[in-house]
Amino acid sequence: MNTAPWRRTGHRSEEIDRPDLTGPLPPPPVPGLSPDREVLLREALLREAARNRAPGGAGARAARPRRHPVRFAVPALACALAAVGVVALDLPDRGAAPVAERHVAAPGAARLLDRVALAAARTQRPALRADQFVYVESRVAYAAQSAGGGPVTMPPAHRRQVWSSADGGRAGLLREEGGPETRLGADAPVHGLDHRGATPGPGASRTAGPSVTEPTHRFVASLPTDPDALLELIRHETRGQGRDPDQRAFTAIGELLAETWAPPAVEAALYRAAARIPGVTVVRAAADAAGREGVAVARTAYGQQTQWVFDRTTYAFLGERTVLARAGDAGPAGTVVGASAVLVRAAVDRAGELPAPGAA
């Protein structure tokens, strides 16, 4: 069966207006798309399909090299139209919040992200040497759909381990359960992965240096700690990666949170920058790929809702989920199509080395 891989995130969203976020809360519904928005999406999908079929069209672009695999989203309508070759789109999210509401996150999300930032700023973290590696262990799961359509299927979560060179000067390593061990970057061949679990393919060496979308630990540690300056930098460095600058920024911050190890001050700034992104709301109940329940902030775009899940008590980042934002051929609204759970972050001396038990 031909399958189309999906990306991450969660359940149902609603803004929290009261300050108490520690008790169990019911999951609210995910809003659907308006009929006009659905028509616009379908028309854009058909136009994209026509371009992909043309020689030299968008489907002919070269794969981008990555330091580590990048999780990605495939809209529900794109999978429904997989027979015509549409696999990904960058569409503006028309008909969202009124203009007066589009300059910051919803109040409940801003309050939650401020608490998360305060907790992150208080975190004690050992210094990382330039010759060390950041080790991140997680559990991940991504749904797939038949090329002929129908409901998506969600496999059990599996183990994922990534070793990233702190200064980018040494080859990293990826081990993903069920797949081959892959060297990443530096002096080793640069590998590009379209999605987690895909077969790595060699790509061109990167010459532009580290960036928001191609970070090293040293680069992340150098990011501004002023939220406004940080968000401006993220918006600048993600230009051309989609037509919705707010979703580009939200996605880039989520990538940095998932598989880097930012200094506490930078991590706090990332959360405060996210609080300045319009369209970010609160999800009252969400769970990561390890089944840990918490509260989340989320943003909906392109037919999916991306959620960052936090512990209700400590506000520690647990992982991410992606859910369908509307009912369709792939499943009902709220169907989970991707999830991750960060279990361990640690500094180690070489790629392939495991940290001491209890490291986090």
Side-chain angles (χ1 to χ4, degrees):
M1 177 177 70
N2 294 327
T3 59
W6 292 69
R7 185 170 166 156
R8 50 188 188 212
T9 322
H11 208 68
R12 303 179 175 177
S13 78
E14 183 176 319
E15 177 188 330
I16 292 178
D17 289 323
R18 59 185 181 82
D20 180 15
L21 298 173
T22 60
L25 298 166
V30 175
L33 295 175
S34 67
D36 291 341
R37 173 64 175 147
E38 182 174 346
V39 169
L40 288 170
L41 279 171
R42 290 184 181 277
E43 290 176 350
L45 284 164
L46 292 173
R47 287 195 300 270
E48 182 73 11
R51 285 197 296 269
N52 286 345
R53 288 196 299 268
R61 67 184 181 205
R64 293 178 297 170
R66 295 290 179 190
R67 288 285 181 180
H68 53 264
V70 173
R71 289 150 296 171
F72 78 112
V74 179
L77 287 175
C79 281
L81 296 176
V84 295
V86 179
V87 294
L89 289 178
D90 293 322
L91 300 176
D93 197 2
R94 299 187 181 94
V99 173
E101 301 174 7
R102 301 188 71 175
H103 58 289
V104 292
R111 288 194 294 270
L112 175 55
L113 285 166
D114 184 62
R115 296 177 190 183
V116 172
L118 288 172
R122 292 193 295 265
T123 302
Q124 298 296 315
R125 193 162 293 165
L128 185 69
R129 299 194 315 268
D131 62 343
Q132 287 186 302
F133 290 79
V134 175
Y135 170 76
V136 179
E137 179 179 337
S138 58
R139 293 190 65 80
V140 299
Y142 297 95
Q145 183 184 44
S146 168
V152 297
T153 57
M154 188 75 169
H158 63 272
R159 187 186 193 192
R160 171 184 168 85
Q161 299 166 283
V162 177
W163 289 262
S164 301
S165 172
D167 64 0
R170 280 155 288 279
L173 183 66
L174 166 67
R175 288 177 183 163
E176 192 148 8
E177 189 176 347
E181 184 174 287
T182 306
R183 297 185 72 198
L184 302 172
D187 296 331
V190 177
H191 287 83
L193 301 185
D194 290 333
H195 59 87
R196 288 183 173 184
T199 301
S205 297
R206 186 180 68 186
T207 59
S211 66
V212 166
T213 55
E214 296 279 2
T216 63
H217 174 78
R218 176 177 288 180
F219 174 84
V220 173
S222 72
L223 288 173
T225 55
D226 175 79
D228 293 311
L230 179 56
L231 183 58
E232 182 179 359
L233 173 66
I234 290 170
R235 290 187 186 280
H236 175 76
E237 293 205 1
T238 56
R239 288 183 303 176
Q241 298 178 16
R243 298 179 187 174
D244 182 347
D246 298 324
Q247 187 62 22
R248 293 199 309 260
F250 190 80
T251 298
I253 293 173
E255 296 289 346
L256 291 171
L257 294 172
E259 284 191 344
T260 68
W261 205 26
V266 173
E267 184 177 352
L270 286 168
Y271 292 125
R272 292 191 170 108
R276 288 157 167 75
I277 299 175
V280 178
T281 58
V282 170
V283 177
R284 296 190 173 201
D288 67 11
R292 299 175 298 185
E293 295 187 355
V295 64
V297 295
R299 194 171 193 279
T300 302
Y302 312 134
Q304 295 186 19
Q305 185 182 85
T306 303
Q307 301 174 353
W308 304 340
V309 186
F310 302 98
D311 185 277
R312 289 181 179 275
T313 303
T314 66
Y315 298 112
F317 179 81
L318 299 180
E320 300 168 293
R321 286 202 310 183
T322 301
V323 300
L324 299 181
R326 62 179 296 274
D329 182 58
T335 297
V336 179
V337 296
S340 69
V342 178
L343 304 179
V344 179
R345 295 182 205 261
V348 295
D349 291 334
R350 64 181 186 278
E353 177 184 355
L354 296 178

